[in-house]
């Protein structure tokens, strides 16, 4: 059994780097705030070129559909300085996120 769990932990997921930003956020369900805290997304409502994110700790963020924004770069590069204690992001989700690879020419188009 031990070998099976290690193989599943090492499995990498590939996503395209330049996909629609809203699709990427909906798929990952994580949001880095400006302070570097990683939040779990409860719901996301799109409104044209903007979207409203509600996190599990009931914080609201208005985001723009920009592939070059701070949050987009932080999500692609997996840069965060801590995890929100109120959102209670499970450990398996953080491991899945850390094993995800963003590639220019390979991966799912979402």
């Amino acid at each position: 059994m031990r070998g099976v769990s290690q193989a599943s932990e090492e499995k990498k997921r590939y996503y395209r780097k330049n996909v629609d930003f809203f699709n990427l956020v909906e798929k990952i369900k994580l949001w880095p705030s400006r302070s570097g805290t990683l939040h779990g997304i409860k719901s996301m409502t799109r409104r044209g070129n903007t979207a409203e994110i509600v996190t599990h700790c009931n914080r609201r963020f208005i985001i723009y559909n920009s592939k070059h924004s701070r949050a987009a770069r932080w999500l692609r590069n997996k840069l965060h300085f801590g995890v929100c204690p109120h959102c209670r992001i499970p450990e398996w989700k953080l491991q899945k996120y850390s094993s995800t690879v963003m590639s220019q020419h390979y991966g799912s188009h979402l």
Side-chain angles (χ1 to χ4, degrees):
M1 274 283 199
R2 185 176 172 127
V4 174
S5 65
Q6 285 179 349
S8 63
E9 288 175 1
E10 295 173 5
K11 181 180 178 184
K12 292 192 176 192
R13 284 161 181 73
Y14 293 90
Y15 294 126
R16 293 276 178 143
K17 203 172 198 178
N18 292 325
V19 295
D20 183 41
F21 182 57
F22 288 163
N23 290 344
L24 181 66
V25 171
E26 276 183 331
K27 186 72 172 177
I28 293 177
K29 296 253 186 213
L30 294 173
W31 182 256
S33 65
R34 287 184 181 155
S35 64
T37 306
L38 201 60
H39 294 274
I41 295 177
K42 187 190 318 184
S43 67
M44 179 175 165
T45 52
R46 292 183 182 199
R47 295 187 185 114
N49 203 25
T50 62
E52 181 183 23
I53 290 177
V54 179
T55 64
H56 289 287
C57 59
N58 290 325
R59 291 189 61 190
R60 296 181 184 276
F61 296 99
I62 302 295
I63 65 170
Y64 293 94
N65 195 5
S66 172
K67 297 175 190 172
H68 305 292
S69 66
R70 172 207 50 89
R73 288 190 317 258
W74 284 20
L75 283 174
R76 282 194 308 264
N77 298 329
K78 295 167 197 59
L79 181 64
H80 63 87
F81 301 112
V83 179
C84 177
H86 304 291
C87 287
R88 296 188 189 132
I89 301 171
E91 190 62 37
W92 65 265
K93 192 170 207 173
L94 293 172
Q95 287 177 351
K96 183 177 175 181
Y97 174 61
S98 66
S99 68
T100 302
V101 177
M102 306 287 177
S103 177
Q104 182 74 29
H105 301 290
Y106 181 75
S108 174
H109 288 284
L110 297 179

